[in-house]
Amino acid sequence: MESGTSEPKFAHLGPTHTPKSYTFKGAKGWRRYRLFQPGRGMYHDVKRRLPYYWSDITDAWTYRTFASTIRMYFVNLLPAIAYTLDMTRRTGYFYGINEALFSSALAAMVFSIGAAQPLTIVGVTGLISLFNYTIYDIIKQYDVTLYPSFMAWTGIWAAIFHWIVSFGNYCDYMRYVTDFSSESFGMYVGIIYCVKGVEELVNEFTSVSPTAGFMSCMIAILYFGSVYGLEKLGSSTMWKPFVRGLLADYAYVFTTLFWVGFAHIPGSLEDTHVSYVPIQQAFHTTTGRSWLIDFWNLPAKWIFVALPFGFLVMLLFYYDHNVSSLTAQARQFPLKKPAGFHWDFFLLGCTTFIAGILGLPMPNGLVPQAPVHTDSLTVYETRLDIIHTIDGEDEDIRRPLVEATAVVEQRISHFLMGLALIGTMTGPLLIVLHTMPAAVFAGVFFVVGWGSIESSGILKRLIYLQSESRFIAPSNPLLTVPRRKIVLYIGLQIFGVAACVAISQTIAAIGFPVLIIALIPLRIVLMPNLFTKKELSVLDALTADGEAVLASLGGRPEMDGEGLKGLENGESRAEEGLNGEDGLRMKRTRSGSAVRQRAGSFTR
Amino acid sequence: MESGTSEPKFAHLGPTHTPKSYTFKGAKGWRRYRLFQPGRGMYHDVKRRLPYYWSDITDAWTYRTFASTIRMYFVNLLPAIAYTLDMTRRTGYFYGINEALFSSALAAMVFSIGAAQPLTIVGVTGLISLFNYTIYDIIKQYDVTLYPSFMAWTGIWAAIFHWIVSFGNYCDYMRYVTDFSSESFGMYVGIIYCVKGVEELVNEFTSVSPTAGFMSCMIAILYFGSVYGLEKLGSSTMWKPFVRGLLADYAYVFTTLFWVGFAHIPGSLEDTHVSYVPIQQAFHTTTGRSWLIDFWNLPAKWIFVALPFGFLVMLLFYYDHNVSSLTAQARQFPLKKPAGFHWDFFLLGCTTFIAGILGLPMPNGLVPQAPVHTDSLTVYETRLDIIHTIDGEDEDIRRPLVEATAVVEQRISHFLMGLALIGTMTGPLLIVLHTMPAAVFAGVFFVVGWGSIESSGILKRLIYLQSESRFIAPSNPLLTVPRRKIVLYIGLQIFGVAACVAISQTIAAIGFPVLIIALIPLRIVLMPNLFTKKELSVLDALTADGEAVLASLGGRPEMDGEGLKGLENGESRAEEGLNGEDGLRMKRTRSGSAVRQRAGSFTR
């Protein structure tokens, strides 16, 4: 099965280096076809990662693991419930809280124990919710009773496609993903989340009362403001780094506890009878069915109708899961342990299969939870950065420079978070969940959605275009690109986002993964005709970067000739330029809602 | 009448210099007593200002006058109505919108035409509202029908005390006012306004419905966010300076139009039936009485009971009006025309008298409207400030430096705003006013109140104390003061504020001017025993500064020996240190809610 490339001796290089034995570069004849070497990527993923397994447990005994567990429990649970509130209403109450918790817990157990990259948090996303209720809308036009087994078969087909992709080494193509499409995807997800937040509030108006609606609006807005404000404080220069760390770690915890309590203050507040998280008996399905779906009773015709749907689920997960995993291993995190995309995608096929036959929403990699997990495990040091001015010492500018010095790479925080999710499935904790008003989840949608929009490179370039030119640093590499080219570039991104948002509002919503994936060939094939290589090297960058990541994807892609070779530096400088326009290098936000900057922001 | 000091020839110095003939320094014998030279200050005020009168009209024909008129109309009208909503409910509907508009229009006419300093905007404040309803609470314990004539006599007595003060040249003592008390006053006013905003919202809950209450909360919060956000954008480096200028000039206008319209959207929003501004027939009193109050029918006993109340009104106006006028002529505005405190306080006595006998809320100088008026007339230029670093040109830091280059000093914007207020008193515009929900005014309270709190030196020093020490510039003069001294200084300020806020919630509220005024002798007499002169020179500064201002107050005070001599520089540097802690010199905000920085922020 080994290709012709020689396997270098790497042991003496220490744990920061990964074996570079896996690549299809230079392969000839039948060896060029990835499917003809099934499982080669998975084999190397496991071989590369297995030596670190014991350290994934022994490295865990630090405070960061504890803080990460608490934070990730909230950051994973709250959005999952938020999406479920929406999904349960729109799928005839088939998918409820118990299914969502089961799915999250299942994914956490499988990926914390078995994944090659346990940093990638896997769970219920807003997009699978969109998927599930769009299929519901389609099926109910024919026979709504088919929905459970149809979804089971969708999951089964999706699992099969996952396995084909992972055995066929097709995750390799993820290395062609650039910020062009991943920024568009981030923006799209952000917009969809904000829309979901609004829908959650509208639901309070229509299904409870205007009073409940207005109170929910108020709570959602204040929830958003609270998390946002606490995170801003957490990235300020107030107090000691320790206190700021607490704010950053527990912004969601404090805010959620406060606003849940607020909604229960007797008087005008409690009397609004806003809706709370609907719960069922512990460990029972929402509809009262048995957990295993009788998928074998679905008529054969429908089994094959489910095939394209399964393919679309795979397509969504191919992009969403792998990009989540990439962002959890982005440049700014000083990771030392290797990645394993093929193996993890195989595992995702397994969870998809189980979720399908048990009637759970299918879990996949979560943005921004996955990068937030890595962030929560990162040891940051706030250094004093003195910029010496020519006017002498008294005029020196002092500002904080946050540096990521290490990441506690381990499996335990993910595993404990999974245990906590299982605990949440028990009766007493379900009752606690039931105290949470839906308005809080609308607030969660706004925080997560706006975090994704605010951190988007699209928005940053828009601000660059709108800025008064004399305040732009002359070293900003964007100045080397004609303005109309930047406009064209953002225009293409916005067109892609708008198309996805538009399609999401229709019954064709399940097609949106095709649109997102289509942005990759658009970028690789079409855009080099519209932009020079130099322009693309300033505007765009590989989303997958770093040798430890690319090792699992078959090595650095050779696209645009030398155009992308200088990308790493070029892009860093571009981001510095964007961030530096207000005279400040962007600080690390340590945000619960998004990882807002790249390594470029930390270095000069 | 002339004192023994010689009058220098000043004509050749041009319009930036004012005659320094007015002072009591070095006066001996009976001449030391200000009351024995009645009207001397007023005489010099008029003599100093009259030569500029014609230029106050001819200088007005610029765009800034137009923008200022529109902006001041909103910035003056909205809070006036906001206070009136509160006052009308709490004075048995004696003071209504028509009275408030009449009072504002009267003040605008008198001060735009007659004042020595027409920049000082005069109108209805929240404090006179507090005063009026506290007196109502007292009077209604005896005989509520006495209230109109009792208020008339309060106004008459207050007017008499105003005239005594202005003829007795007692405004001179305003030169002893330092930031210690004026910051405390600003903080107190800010807190009271926020409390008023909350009360306005609570009123929607109790007197309309919970639905109206929650919707009002939502609108008030979003109104606050909108004005705040537009003003932040207006002080960013986005777009051209022209566009930013529009945002800064019309933030209130845009926001108010939007949210008033929003509240009228048919459906859930309109159905809440939130309360709107209550209006009466144009030019009629709210109670239907005739405009002139039959104050001559008040029993003699009550006439003398009104005397101390009148004294307290004068005390409040003495501080509030003169500090408003001082802040309208603060250091950062490059004013060229002289001030006239004695004459203006005499005029204020006249408006107080008229307001008293007509049953209007008594107008006085407005913070922040007065400084906002000057700000709206100031020609700002955004310069590019390049901080050269030792690392070379590419690492230079570019940031905007906003400079006030000139102020369009004239009477016309004030006069036109007054005409617009008179126009608002007519039937058609009253009906437009009636479309405005009370929630918008709660939002106005929050914007104005928070602006006052945010810009307070108390808050800035609290942030300084909480900041991580290594990010504080070594040139920050606060570092020369022991931390416990700073804590003590802020502690005294906060104690003063807390005492004022506490008394405002009781029937003793009318006594709060005594507390505020008491801070001045506390500062002059007591604090030099607690702090060294050097510490005070870093922590405190004269609120009245600039020769053109001090000329009307009898010259620079000689307090604390040489301690305050270096104040102007020391304080500038202290503020620079406070603002500079995030590595940025604070930008001019051009805020509608407050003038947030001093000249120190503009210079290095």
Side-chain angles (χ1 to χ4, degrees):
Chain A
M1 284 305 211
E2 286 300 302
S3 77
T5 55
S6 66
E7 189 165 328
K9 298 274 174 275
F10 58 89
H12 67 283
L13 292 171
T16 57
H17 286 75
T18 54
K20 293 189 179 136
S21 57
Y22 173 70
T23 181
F24 282 84
K25 271 177 203 160
K28 293 195 173 61
W30 64 269
R31 286 202 165 90
R32 286 179 297 140
Y33 301 101
R34 285 183 163 73
L35 196 55
F36 289 169
Q37 302 193 42
R40 186 163 161 246
M42 286 164 62
Y43 166 76
H44 279 281
D45 283 351
V46 173
K47 185 175 164 196
R48 206 184 294 111
R49 183 71 192 201
L50 205 55
Y52 296 94
Y53 201 92
W54 183 240
S55 76
D56 280 348
I57 296 160
T58 54
D59 287 352
W61 309 110
T62 75
Y63 167 70
R64 285 250 61 78
T65 307
F66 172 77
S68 173
T69 304
I70 304 290
R71 184 168 166 195
M72 292 320 297
Y73 172 72
F74 276 81
V75 173
N76 191 0
L77 179 71
L78 293 180
I81 295 177
Y83 312 138
T84 307
L85 289 179
D86 181 49
M87 182 164 54
T88 194
R89 277 196 304 271
R90 300 176 95 164
T91 59
Y93 302 93
F94 181 72
Y95 294 109
I97 293 299
N98 284 4
E99 282 83 2
L101 288 174
F102 193 167
S103 171
S104 297
L106 168 75
M109 285 296 131
V110 169
F111 279 82
S112 66
I113 296 172
Q117 181 47 276
L119 292 176
T120 310
I121 298 284
V122 179
V124 180
T125 67
L127 299 180
I128 200 67
S129 149
L130 172 68
F131 229 89
N132 287 353
Y133 68 68
T134 307
I135 295 179
Y136 183 81
D137 290 342
I138 295 170
I139 293 294
K140 78 174 176 194
Q141 296 175 11
Y142 304 97
D143 179 0
V144 79
T145 60
L146 294 177
Y147 184 65
S149 8
F150 187 82
M151 284 309 297
W153 274 103
T154 303
I156 293 168
W157 284 118
I160 291 169
F161 286 117
H162 273 79
W163 294 328
I164 291 172
V165 166
S166 51
F167 275 93
N169 310 303
Y170 291 125
C171 286
D172 282 4
Y173 293 110
M174 283 308 291
R175 64 189 165 158
Y176 290 103
V177 172
T178 66
D179 288 349
F180 176 75
S181 67
S182 54
E183 282 173 2
S184 303
F185 182 65
M187 178 70 103
Y188 162 68
V189 170
I191 292 172
I192 288 294
Y193 285 8
C194 289
V195 170
K196 289 264 160 278
V198 172
E199 285 176 356
E200 208 53 57
L201 295 174
V202 168
N203 180 62
E204 292 294 299
F205 277 96
T206 52
S207 72
V208 189
S209 71
T211 313
F214 285 121
M215 171 169 141
S216 297
C217 289
M218 188 183 81
I219 288 188
I221 294 166
L222 294 173
Y223 184 94
F224 173 83
S226 307
V227 176
Y228 201 83
L230 284 182
E231 286 180 350
K232 281 260 178 246
L233 272 181
S235 64
S236 71
T237 57
M238 297 274 282
W239 308 302
K240 302 281 173 200
F242 163 71
V243 181
R244 294 200 297 268
L246 283 183
L247 284 179
D249 283 335
Y250 304 117
Y252 271 95
V253 183
F254 299 145
T255 310
T256 305
L257 292 178
F258 180 83
W259 290 110
V260 169
F262 181 83
H264 287 275
I265 295 175
S268 292
L269 291 162
E270 203 179 26
D271 294 347
T272 51
H273 301 297
V274 290
S275 54
Y276 298 102
V277 174
I279 56 168
Q280 295 88 32
Q281 199 183 339
F283 301 113
H284 282 64
T285 59
T286 304
T287 56
R289 64 181 170 87
S290 67
W291 278 106
L292 186 66
I293 288 176
D294 56 340
F295 60 88
W296 49 88
N297 289 327
L298 189 69
K301 179 184 98 175
W302 284 103
I303 290 176
F304 287 98
V305 172
L307 189 145
F309 290 89
F311 184 76
L312 286 171
V313 169
M314 184 278 292
L315 218 52
L316 168 63
F317 285 7
Y318 180 75
Y319 192 88
D320 195 6
H321 182 83
N322 285 317
V323 165
S324 305
S325 191
L326 282 177
T327 55
Q329 304 170 73
R331 276 196 290 286
Q332 78 267 31
F333 301 122
L335 294 181
K336 300 194 166 174
K337 298 182 182 177
F341 289 86
H342 305 283
W343 174 257
D344 286 1
F345 204 64
F346 167 75
L347 278 189
L348 191 67
C350 301
T351 56
T352 304
F353 182 83
I354 300 170
I357 62 170
L358 295 184
L360 311 177
M362 293 169 258
N364 78 313
L366 296 170
V367 173
Q369 288 89 332
V372 167
H373 185 217
T374 314
D375 183 59
S376 70
L377 290 166
T378 304
V379 180
Y380 287 106
E381 276 177 24
T382 312
R383 280 204 305 115
L384 170 62
D385 177 38
I386 300 179
I387 299 174
H388 298 285
T389 62
I390 58 170
D391 297 333
E393 201 171 310
D394 270 8
E395 298 295 332
D396 283 356
I397 292 167
R398 300 178 153 235
R399 42 193 186 185
L401 198 62
V402 179
E403 268 185 326
T405 55
V407 177
V408 184
E409 293 182 71
Q410 41 70 45
R411 297 174 184 274
I412 301 300
S413 59
H414 197 162
F415 181 74
L416 291 178
M417 186 205 72
L419 285 186
L421 288 172
I422 292 174
T424 313
M425 294 168 70
T426 61
L429 277 165
L430 276 181
I431 288 166
V432 172
L433 270 194
H434 183 58
T435 62
M436 301 179 73
V440 162
F441 297 102
V444 172
F445 274 131
F446 294 146
V447 175
V448 175
W450 176 247
S452 198
I453 293 170
E454 191 184 29
S455 62
S456 162
I458 302 176
L459 191 68
K460 283 183 187 156
R461 281 190 200 96
L462 273 176
I463 291 174
Y464 165 83
L465 285 176
Q466 298 295 313
S467 293
E468 207 186 333
S469 53
R470 59 188 168 142
F471 297 117
I472 297 167
S475 58
N476 191 325
L478 282 174
L479 285 172
T480 65
V481 182
R483 283 178 73 87
R484 64 186 169 78
K485 286 297 184 74
I486 304 178
V487 171
L488 176 65
Y489 184 86
I490 306 179
L492 287 169
Q493 288 188 306
I494 291 177
F495 177 78
V497 172
C500 289
V501 171
I503 206 176
S504 298
Q505 308 302 314
T506 71
I507 204 149
I510 46 166
F512 77 90
V514 179
L515 281 179
I516 284 288
I517 299 263
L519 288 177
I520 305 175
L522 173 78
R523 164 69 184 82
I524 306 297
V525 179
L526 187 66
M527 285 176 61
N529 301 322
L530 298 173
F531 299 88
T532 67
K533 286 174 183 173
K534 189 157 175 312
E535 286 163 5
L536 283 177
S537 78
V538 171
L539 290 167
D540 204 2
L542 291 177
T543 299
D545 210 311
E547 296 310 317
V549 171
L550 286 169
S552 170
L553 299 176
R556 188 172 290 273
E558 287 172 19
M559 52 198 281
D560 299 346
E562 62 169 358
L564 283 184
K565 284 210 177 150
L567 254 185
E568 195 166 1
N569 289 329
E571 206 264 350
S572 298
R573 287 174 62 228
E575 295 232 343
E576 167 110 10
L578 285 169
N579 298 335
E581 73 192 60
D582 58 356
L584 265 183
R585 267 164 288 171
M586 188 180 254
K587 284 171 280 194
R588 180 180 65 84
T589 62
R590 214 173 164 169
S591 148
S593 54
V595 175
R596 290 190 183 127
Q597 69 293 308
R598 304 290 177 74
S601 311
F602 297 125
T603 59
R604 288 175 78 182
Chain B
M1 284 302 216
E2 287 298 300
S3 76
T5 55
S6 66
E7 187 165 329
K9 298 278 175 273
F10 58 89
H12 67 283
L13 293 171
T16 58
H17 288 75
T18 54
K20 290 183 181 146
S21 58
Y22 172 70
T23 182
F24 281 84
K25 272 177 203 161
K28 292 192 175 63
W30 64 269
R31 286 202 165 90
R32 285 182 296 140
Y33 302 101
R34 284 183 164 72
L35 197 57
F36 289 168
Q37 301 193 43
R40 188 165 158 245
M42 286 164 62
Y43 166 76
H44 279 281
D45 283 349
V46 173
K47 186 178 164 197
R48 206 184 295 110
R49 183 73 191 199
L50 204 55
Y52 297 94
Y53 200 94
W54 182 240
S55 76
D56 281 347
I57 297 162
T58 54
D59 286 353
W61 309 110
T62 73
Y63 167 71
R64 285 252 59 78
T65 307
F66 172 78
S68 173
T69 304
I70 304 290
R71 183 167 167 197
M72 292 321 296
Y73 172 72
F74 277 81
V75 172
N76 191 0
L77 179 71
L78 294 180
I81 296 177
Y83 312 139
T84 307
L85 289 179
D86 181 49
M87 182 165 53
T88 194
R89 277 196 303 273
R90 301 176 94 162
T91 58
Y93 302 92
F94 180 73
Y95 294 109
I97 293 298
N98 284 3
E99 282 82 2
L101 288 174
F102 193 167
S103 171
S104 297
L106 168 76
M109 286 295 130
V110 168
F111 279 82
S112 66
I113 296 171
Q117 181 46 277
L119 292 176
T120 309
I121 298 283
V122 180
V124 180
T125 67
L127 299 180
I128 199 69
S129 148
L130 172 68
F131 227 90
N132 287 354
Y133 69 67
T134 308
I135 294 180
Y136 183 82
D137 290 342
I138 295 170
I139 294 294
K140 78 176 174 194
Q141 296 176 12
Y142 304 96
D143 180 0
V144 79
T145 60
L146 294 177
Y147 183 65
S149 9
F150 186 82
M151 285 309 297
W153 273 102
T154 304
I156 294 168
W157 284 118
I160 292 169
F161 286 118
H162 272 78
W163 295 328
I164 293 173
V165 166
S166 51
F167 276 93
N169 311 303
Y170 292 124
C171 288
D172 283 4
Y173 293 110
M174 284 307 293
R175 64 189 164 159
Y176 290 102
V177 172
T178 66
D179 288 348
F180 175 75
S181 67
S182 52
E183 281 174 2
S184 303
F185 182 65
M187 178 70 103
Y188 162 68
V189 170
I191 292 172
I192 288 295
Y193 284 8
C194 289
V195 170
K196 289 264 159 274
V198 171
E199 285 176 355
E200 208 54 57
L201 294 174
V202 168
N203 179 61
E204 292 293 301
F205 277 97
T206 52
S207 71
V208 189
S209 70
T211 313
F214 285 121
M215 171 170 142
S216 298
C217 289
M218 188 183 82
I219 288 188
I221 294 166
L222 293 173
Y223 183 95
F224 172 83
S226 307
V227 176
Y228 202 82
L230 285 182
E231 287 180 350
K232 282 260 179 245
L233 272 181
S235 64
S236 70
T237 58
M238 297 275 281
W239 307 300
K240 303 281 173 200
F242 163 71
V243 181
R244 295 200 295 268
L246 282 183
L247 283 179
D249 282 336
Y250 304 117
Y252 272 95
V253 184
F254 300 146
T255 311
T256 305
L257 292 178
F258 180 84
W259 290 110
V260 169
F262 181 84
H264 287 276
I265 294 175
S268 292
L269 291 162
E270 202 179 28
D271 294 348
T272 51
H273 300 296
V274 290
S275 54
Y276 298 102
V277 174
I279 56 169
Q280 295 88 34
Q281 200 182 339
F283 300 113
H284 281 64
T285 59
T286 305
T287 56
R289 64 182 171 87
S290 67
W291 279 105
L292 187 65
I293 289 175
D294 56 338
F295 60 88
W296 49 86
N297 289 329
L298 189 70
K301 177 184 97 176
W302 285 101
I303 291 176
F304 288 98
V305 172
L307 189 145
F309 290 88
F311 184 77
L312 285 171
V313 169
M314 185 280 291
L315 219 52
L316 167 63
F317 286 7
Y318 180 76
Y319 192 88
D320 194 6
H321 181 85
N322 285 317
V323 164
S324 305
S325 192
L326 281 176
T327 55
Q329 304 169 74
R331 275 196 290 288
Q332 77 267 33
F333 302 122
L335 295 180
K336 300 192 166 176
K337 299 182 182 177
F341 289 86
H342 305 282
W343 174 257
D344 286 0
F345 204 64
F346 168 76
L347 278 189
L348 190 67
C350 300
T351 57
T352 304
F353 182 83
I354 300 170
I357 62 171
L358 296 183
L360 312 178
M362 293 168 260
N364 77 315
L366 296 170
V367 172
Q369 287 90 332
V372 167
H373 185 216
T374 313
D375 182 59
S376 70
L377 290 165
T378 303
V379 180
Y380 287 106
E381 277 177 24
T382 312
R383 280 204 306 114
L384 170 62
D385 177 37
I386 301 178
I387 299 174
H388 299 285
T389 62
I390 59 169
D391 298 332
E393 201 172 310
D394 270 8
E395 300 292 333
D396 283 355
I397 293 167
R398 298 177 154 237
R399 41 193 186 185
L401 197 62
V402 178
E403 268 185 327
T405 55
V407 177
V408 183
E409 294 182 71
Q410 41 70 47
R411 298 174 184 273
I412 301 300
S413 59
H414 198 162
F415 181 74
L416 291 178
M417 185 206 72
L419 284 187
L421 288 173
I422 292 174
T424 313
M425 294 169 70
T426 61
L429 278 165
L430 276 182
I431 289 167
V432 172
L433 270 193
H434 183 57
T435 61
M436 300 177 73
V440 162
F441 297 101
V444 172
F445 273 130
F446 293 146
V447 176
V448 176
W450 176 246
S452 199
I453 294 170
E454 191 184 29
S455 62
S456 163
I458 301 176
L459 190 68
K460 283 183 186 155
R461 281 191 199 95
L462 274 176
I463 291 174
Y464 165 84
L465 286 176
Q466 298 294 314
S467 293
E468 206 186 335
S469 53
R470 58 187 169 145
F471 297 117
I472 297 167
S475 58
N476 191 327
L478 282 175
L479 286 171
T480 64
V481 182
R483 283 179 72 87
R484 63 186 170 78
K485 285 298 185 73
I486 304 179
V487 171
L488 176 65
Y489 184 85
I490 305 179
L492 286 169
Q493 287 187 307
I494 290 176
F495 178 77
V497 172
C500 288
V501 171
I503 205 176
S504 298
Q505 308 301 315
T506 71
I507 204 149
I510 47 166
F512 77 90
V514 179
L515 281 179
I516 283 287
I517 299 262
L519 289 176
I520 305 175
L522 172 78
R523 164 68 184 82
I524 306 295
V525 178
L526 187 66
M527 286 176 59
N529 301 322
L530 298 174
F531 298 88
T532 66
K533 285 173 185 172
K534 188 157 175 312
E535 286 162 4
L536 282 178
S537 78
V538 171
L539 290 167
D540 204 2
L542 291 178
T543 299
D545 209 312
E547 296 310 317
V549 172
L550 287 169
S552 170
L553 299 176
R556 188 172 289 273
E558 287 172 19
M559 51 197 281
D560 298 347
E562 60 170 0
L564 283 182
K565 283 209 177 151
L567 253 184
E568 195 165 1
N569 290 329
E571 207 263 351
S572 299
R573 288 176 60 229
E575 295 231 341
E576 167 112 10
L578 287 167
N579 298 336
E581 72 192 61
D582 58 355
L584 265 183
R585 266 164 289 171
M586 187 180 253
K587 283 171 281 191
R588 180 181 66 84
T589 64
R590 214 174 162 166
S591 149
S593 55
V595 174
R596 290 190 183 127
Q597 69 292 308
R598 303 292 176 71
S601 312
F602 298 124
T603 59
R604 289 177 75 182

